Amino acid sequence: MTVSESFYDRSMELPSELLVGAIDSHVHAGPVLRSNPGHQDPFEVAIEAREAGMRAIVYYDVFGWASGTAWMVNRHVPGIRTFGGYLMNSCHGGINPRSVRTALYMEEGCRFISFGSHCTYFSASRESTLIDGELVPFKDAFPEFEREELSRAVRIPTEGPISDDLAEILQMVADHPDVYLNTGHVSGPEVMRILDLAEEFGIRKVLIAHPARQQLSIEQQKDAARRGFFLEGCLVDWLYPHAPRTHYYVEKKYMDRSGDVPRPRRTAAQWMADIREVGPEHFVLGTDYGIRAASTPVQGMRTLITTLLDYEFSPDEIRTMTAHNPARLIGLDPV
C-alpha cells in the first residue's frame, strides 16, 4: 500500500487501496419506492463491494427489514459480510416494541435500531413543497399532512417521563449488546435526551446519525464523544444530487423541494473541519448512497476517501473512520 501522500504528491492508487477492508455503514439498496428509484439491488452492491476488497456493508431499509435482506445476501454472495437494521418509521407503527422485538430475532438479527428517518417529527415538520417560488412546509401547505402524518411522527420527549413503549425498546437494545442505537433524524435536544436515556438503560453503543449531528454544536458533539458515543458523517452531507423524487411518502405532492431553492449549505470543508475539531477517532463514515441520481455506494465510498485525502487526513485516520470504528460499532473483530 502507498504509505501516504502529500499535497503535491498525490497518488491515483491510494483511494482504491484504502477501500480494501473498508465498511460502508450506511447503504440504501432497496426495495425502494418507485418514486425514488435506486441504483443497485442489494446483491449488486455486495458484489461490487467485494470486488473492491471491502469488508462489509450495512443496509438501511426505510420500508422493510434490512436484516432479512442482509441474511439473503450473505447466503449467496460469499467473500463479504452484510448487515441490516430496523428503522422505527411510521409505516411500522413508529415506537412499536413488537416490531423492534421481531427485528431483533429475525434470522441473524439486526445490528441497529434507529429512531426513524424522514418521518420523525423534526424531519417531517420541516420538509417542504414549493409554492410561488417559496418553500412551504408540508404541514402548512397540506392540512391533511399534519393530521395524518405529523400526528404519528416519531418524537422523543426532551424532559420528563418517557412512554412505556420507549422504555421497553431501550431495554431490549440494552439486552442485546451487539446492537447499537441509532438516533435517526431527530432534533438536537432529542439527541441529547437519547444519550442520557442510553446511559440510564446501559446501552453502550450509540451512533448519532448524520442528520441529527447537524443539529448539535461542536461542544455538544465533543460531549457525546467524551461519553463514548460515535458520530456519523456521510458523503451525502456534502455531495447530494437533488432531483425530483420522494423520500418517504408515496404521494408526489409530498416530494421535498428544499433542494430546489438556493440557500446556504455546509461545504465539504466545513464537514472536514468538524471532524478535525471533534477528532477522527470518534467518527464512523459511510455514504448514505443508493439512489439512482448518485453514483453506486462503492464509487461513493471511493469519493469519500478521496475527499478525506484531499483535506490531508492521513491513511491511518481514514482507516479509523471507514474501517476500524465501523467494525467496532457492528461488532466485528479488529483486523
Side-chain angles (χ1 to χ4, degrees), residues 173-201:
V173 176
D175 291 341
H176 290 78
D178 56 324
V179 173
Y180 63 91
L181 187 65
N182 187 309
T183 61
H185 293 210
V186 300
S187 68
E190 288 174 296
V191 171
M192 302 311 292
R193 182 68 194 282
I194 289 170
L195 300 186
D196 291 340
L197 290 169
E199 291 181 326
E200 178 183 333
F201 279 82

Side-chain angles (χ1 to χ4, degrees), residues 122-181:
F122 178 78
S123 181
S125 64
R126 285 160 176 77
E127 292 188 350
S128 304
T129 189
L130 201 60
I131 299 177
D132 296 329
E134 298 290 333
L135 290 174
V136 180
F138 294 155
K139 65 182 178 61
D140 297 327
F142 310 107
E144 65 273 22
F145 182 85
E146 183 165 16
R147 183 176 64 251
E148 298 168 2
E149 300 300 336
L150 274 189
S151 63
R152 69 181 76 181
V154 173
R155 200 171 191 176
I156 309 300
T158 56
E159 58 184 13
I162 61 173
S163 68
D164 291 343
D165 285 348
L166 178 54
E168 184 178 352
I169 288 168
L170 293 170
Q171 189 59 58
M172 279 191 278
V173 176
D175 291 341
H176 290 78
D178 56 324
V179 173
Y180 63 91
L181 187 65

Side-chain angles (χ1 to χ4, degrees), residues 30 63 77 82 106 114 127 131 146 157 168 174 225 230 281 307 311:
F63 307 103
V77 183
T82 69
M106 283 187 67
S114 173
E127 292 188 350
I131 299 177
E146 183 165 16
E168 184 178 352
F230 281 121
E281 66 273 21
T307 304
Y311 282 94

Side-chain angles (χ1 to χ4, degrees), residues 197-216:
L197 290 169
E199 291 181 326
E200 178 183 333
F201 279 82
I203 298 171
R204 295 183 299 171
K205 296 193 294 186
V206 178
L207 179 66
I208 301 172
H210 65 108
R213 182 171 67 84
Q214 296 178 42
Q215 314 308 316
L216 302 183

Side-chain angles (χ1 to χ4, degrees), residues 77-148:
V77 183
I80 189 169
R81 290 290 305 279
T82 69
F83 302 90
Y86 175 73
L87 282 71
M88 293 183 283
N89 282 331
S90 60
C91 59
H92 302 300
I95 304 296
N96 182 346
R98 173 52 60 188
S99 289
V100 172
R101 189 179 304 279
T102 301
L104 291 170
Y105 285 91
M106 283 187 67
E107 291 294 345
E108 297 176 352
C110 62
R111 276 300 190 270
F112 68 85
I113 299 295
S114 173
F115 281 108
S117 54
H118 294 272
C119 64
T120 63
Y121 187 89
F122 178 78
S123 181
S125 64
R126 285 160 176 77
E127 292 188 350
S128 304
T129 189
L130 201 60
I131 299 177
D132 296 329
E134 298 290 333
L135 290 174
V136 180
F138 294 155
K139 65 182 178 61
D140 297 327
F142 310 107
E144 65 273 22
F145 182 85
E146 183 165 16
R147 183 176 64 251
E148 298 168 2

